[in-house]
Amino acid sequence: ERTETRIQQGQIVEQQKAVRQRIASLQSQLQHSRMALEAARSEARNCREQIEQTERNILSVESQINQLYLEKENAQKNSRLLHEQADSLFSRRKQNDQQLRQARLQQQEIEQQIHQIQLDLGQVQVRLEDLVQRVQEELQMNLTAEYEHFEDKEVDWHWQAVQDQIADLRARIERLGHVNVEAIEQQDELEKRSAFLTSQVDDLQKSKAQLEQLIERINKESREKFAVTFEQVRIHFQEIFRKLFGGGKADIVLLQPEDVLESGIEIVARPPGKETRTISLLSGGEKSMSAIALLFAVFQSKPSPFCVLDEVDAALDEANNERFNLIVQEFKKSSQFIVITHSKRTMSIADILYGITMQTQGVSKKISVQFDSARPPVDAAVA
């Protein structure tokens, strides 16, 4: 009991401490609240003073606004006067700018004339210096000194006769020409060079003639082979077209028969129950069937061990797809076909089927199915 009493006494002491701390906290809060209340009262007094000061400022500002309205009216009057003066000054400025441009144009013309005169003067000076130098070199005469003596003398010169004599002497000098001491050696070198170039020209002409003969022979053989191949493809195209469409007519025509190597080819088709028209006027499925017929016609003329077909049956309906499958099975006897398709009918004639499946979401898996093992025996199939 004594121990329990001591424990209770300790608890009561702790509770007393907590109560005292709570009382101290409340007293502190009360002190802060009193201080805040005093601050709020002081702030309220300041606000009332500010309100009174603001009312006095409003009255002062209203009087200033009235004064500013008067000043604004005066300023507007002055502004109109200034605008009128500015318009007058702008008009005068435009006139001055126009006069300034005219004056600058005149200045540029005068400067160009001065520059041209300076160029002419420079050319005259250069010609004069060249003339003095040539006279000094050719005639050993100081032209400046002679001109000074000539001005002192009064002699009647026949200038036309002097010019004719000068021209005659210059022509004689030009006819004499320059003496070339290496002319004989240069002639031998030029003769050798000429003989070499002549032989090269002969070789080139012979090569040109051979090439022309070769080109003519190749063109001839190409025309013959093209004509034979074109006729074979044309016959096969007509047969395969009738098989695919179950009738009708089709043909391929050369646009320029006179030049088969440069000629274009026009495909003309008439499906059953329709009129003859070019392939560009057919429907999507008819275009695909016509293109397939032409492809197999070329393939039949020149077969290959492999053939890859990518979505050629995409635009075909079920009946046309069935005819397409029959053609593929017919050609399958001599060639192997790799067909990319989404058509179930085309898949049904395949020996081996390769595809991509997604059994698990996001995980692709490649599968292959070989149909030969799944097909029944021949006797059972016949039965």
Side-chain angles (χ1 to χ4, degrees):
E1 290 175 358
R2 181 182 178 183
T3 301
E4 291 178 358
T5 303
R6 286 181 178 178
I7 292 171
Q8 292 176 0
Q9 182 182 0
Q11 291 177 353
I12 291 169
V13 170
E14 291 296 330
Q15 290 176 359
Q16 288 177 352
K17 289 181 181 179
V19 170
R20 291 192 186 99
Q21 291 177 356
R22 180 65 178 169
I23 291 170
S25 176
L26 291 174
Q27 288 176 351
S28 177
Q29 291 179 2
L30 181 60
Q31 184 67 24
H32 286 107
S33 298
R34 289 173 180 174
M35 293 174 64
L37 179 60
E38 186 63 28
R41 289 174 180 174
S42 176
E43 186 176 357
R45 288 193 297 270
N46 293 331
C47 290
R48 285 194 293 271
E49 292 176 357
Q50 290 178 1
I51 291 170
E52 293 175 356
Q53 182 64 31
T54 303
E55 290 176 351
R56 290 193 295 270
N57 292 335
I58 290 171
L59 294 175
S60 176
V61 169
E62 287 178 352
S63 63
Q64 292 177 2
I65 289 173
N66 294 328
Q67 183 66 27
L68 290 174
Y69 274 122
L70 295 175
E71 293 179 356
K72 177 183 176 182
E73 292 178 357
N74 295 328
Q76 288 177 350
K77 293 179 181 179
N78 295 329
S79 176
R80 285 192 293 271
L81 295 174
L82 291 174
H83 278 300
E84 292 175 357
Q85 294 178 1
D87 294 337
S88 177
L89 291 174
F90 276 125
S91 61
R92 290 176 58 187
R93 179 183 175 182
K94 289 182 180 178
Q95 294 176 358
N96 293 332
D97 290 340
Q98 186 175 2
Q99 293 176 359
L100 180 61
R101 284 194 295 271
Q102 293 178 356
R104 285 178 178 173
L105 291 175
Q106 294 177 358
Q107 181 183 359
Q108 290 178 359
E109 292 177 356
I110 294 171
E111 288 178 352
Q112 290 178 358
Q113 293 176 1
I114 293 172
H115 181 65
Q116 186 64 35
I117 292 172
Q118 290 176 350
L119 290 177
D120 295 340
L121 181 60
Q123 292 177 359
V124 170
Q125 290 177 352
V126 172
R127 291 175 60 188
L128 178 60
E129 293 175 358
D130 184 50
L131 179 61
V132 172
Q133 185 177 0
R134 287 177 58 193
V135 170
Q136 182 67 32
E137 293 176 355
E138 296 179 3
L139 304 178
Q140 289 77 37
M141 182 186 298
N142 190 348
L143 188 60
T144 305
E146 293 293 333
Y147 181 73
E148 292 176 355
H149 293 303
F150 177 76
E151 288 181 346
D152 297 336
K153 299 177 182 179
E154 293 181 359
V155 182
D156 188 10
W157 291 89
H158 298 284
W159 294 107
Q160 186 62 39
V162 172
Q163 290 179 357
D164 294 339
Q165 186 178 1
I166 292 172
D168 184 44
L169 293 174
R170 284 180 177 174
R172 291 182 182 180
I173 293 171
E174 290 178 357
R175 283 196 297 271
L176 289 175
H178 298 285
V179 178
N180 188 5
V181 295
E182 298 178 355
I184 298 175
E185 296 179 359
Q186 293 178 358
Q187 182 180 2
D188 294 338
E189 292 178 358
L190 291 174
E191 288 178 353
K192 293 178 181 178
R193 180 66 176 169
S194 176
F196 174 74
L197 293 176
T198 302
S199 63
Q200 293 292 319
V201 170
D202 294 338
D203 291 341
L204 290 175
Q205 289 179 349
K206 291 179 181 178
S207 300
K208 178 183 177 182
Q210 293 176 357
L211 288 174
E212 289 177 349
Q213 293 176 0
L214 179 61
I215 291 171
E216 183 64 28
R217 188 179 65 192
I218 291 173
N219 288 338
K220 181 179 179 182
E221 293 178 357
S222 299
R223 292 188 186 94
E224 294 174 355
K225 292 182 178 181
F226 179 83
V228 173
T229 305
F230 180 79
E231 189 62 27
Q232 292 177 356
V233 172
R234 180 169 172 266
I235 295 171
H236 296 326
F237 175 66
Q238 294 173 353
E239 295 174 356
I240 296 173
F241 184 88
R242 286 192 294 271
K243 288 181 181 180
L244 285 174
F245 281 88
K249 293 182 179 180
D251 199 358
I252 50 176
V253 183
L254 292 174
L255 297 179
Q256 297 177 356
E258 65 277 2
D259 188 4
V260 296
L261 298 181
E262 298 294 335
S263 174
I265 297 175
E266 181 72 24
I267 301 176
V268 181
R270 185 175 68 82
K274 294 186 179 181
E275 60 183 10
T276 303
R277 61 182 68 182
T278 59
I279 191 173
S280 60
L281 301 177
L282 299 177
S283 63
E286 292 172 345
K287 287 182 181 179
S288 298
M289 293 286 283
S290 301
I292 292 171
L294 182 59
L295 173 65
F296 279 98
V298 176
F299 193 67
Q300 187 175 5
S301 301
K302 189 176 181 181
S304 174
F306 290 96
C307 179
V308 180
L309 301 177
D310 186 4
E311 296 288 354
V312 297
D313 56 351
L316 304 182
D317 55 11
E318 294 185 359
N320 291 330
N321 198 349
E322 186 67 29
R323 297 192 189 98
F324 166 71
N325 294 339
L326 293 175
I327 292 295
V328 173
Q329 288 178 335
E330 180 180 347
F331 277 84
K332 191 173 67 173
K333 299 175 182 178
S334 59
S335 301
Q336 295 184 10
F337 284 85
I338 300 174
V339 184
I340 301 171
T341 182
H342 289 84
S343 174
K344 295 180 180 179
R345 288 182 177 273
T346 305
M347 294 180 192
S348 64
I349 66 171
D351 296 330
I352 300 176
L353 183 67
Y354 296 95
I356 302 295
T357 183
M358 189 180 294
Q359 296 178 352
T360 304
Q361 183 67 27
V363 180
S364 298
K365 181 180 178 182
K366 182 176 69 175
I367 61 172
S368 63
V369 179
Q370 190 167 359
F371 291 104
D372 289 341
S373 59
R375 288 175 180 170
V378 177
D379 295 340
V382 173

